[in-house]
């Protein structure tokens, strides 16, 4: 049985794929307050992205985005 994502985990995965920046995705998804240490957000984002359920969602969203835009590494390098 697949582990369910929290609303914030879903938002993080979506933003991570859209922005291509795990730290910024974490800051936005988890409402990190201004003045917080950026290194903490970087570390927390990395840990979150390593969770299997979050990683699967990121892969799923990336594949969906690629299909929607018919983009892959080969088409980008041609």
């Amino acid at each position: 049985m697949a582990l369910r994502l929290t609303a914030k985990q879903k938002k993080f995965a979506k933003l991570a794929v859209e922005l291509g920046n795990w730290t910024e995705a974490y800051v936005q998804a988890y409402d990190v307050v201004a003045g917080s240490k950026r290194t903490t957000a970087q570390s927390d984002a990395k840990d979150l992205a390593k969770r299997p359920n979050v990683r699967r969602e990121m892969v799923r969203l990336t594949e969906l985005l690629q299909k929607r835009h018919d983009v892959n590494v080969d088409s980008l390098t041609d």
Side-chain angles (χ1 to χ4, degrees), residues 41-75:
Q42 288 172 332
S43 176
D44 290 347
K46 183 178 177 183
D47 291 343
L48 185 59
K50 286 182 178 180
R51 292 184 182 179
N53 56 334
V54 175
R55 180 52 117 194
R56 277 192 299 274
E57 181 67 1
M58 290 169 63
V59 168
R60 185 187 75 78
L61 291 170
T62 299
E63 289 172 350
L64 182 65
L65 187 63
Q66 287 174 339
K67 286 179 187 175
R68 182 179 299 149
H69 297 286
D70 195 26
V71 175
N72 59 41
V73 173
D74 292 332
S75 69

Side-chain angles (χ1 to χ4, degrees), residues 2-64:
L3 297 174
R4 294 182 189 252
L5 296 170
T6 67
K8 288 185 179 190
Q9 288 172 333
K10 287 179 186 179
K11 186 174 180 180
F12 168 80
K14 181 178 182 287
L15 288 168
V17 171
E18 287 177 358
L19 301 174
N21 183 318
W22 291 357
T23 303
E24 187 57 33
Y26 184 85
V27 167
Q28 290 184 33
Y30 283 83
D31 304 317
V32 175
V33 295
S36 296
K37 289 187 177 181
R38 194 76 173 169
T39 54
T40 301
Q42 288 172 332
S43 176
D44 290 347
K46 183 178 177 183
D47 291 343
L48 185 59
K50 286 182 178 180
R51 292 184 182 179
N53 56 334
V54 175
R55 180 52 117 194
R56 277 192 299 274
E57 181 67 1
M58 290 169 63
V59 168
R60 185 187 75 78
L61 291 170
T62 299
E63 289 172 350
L64 182 65

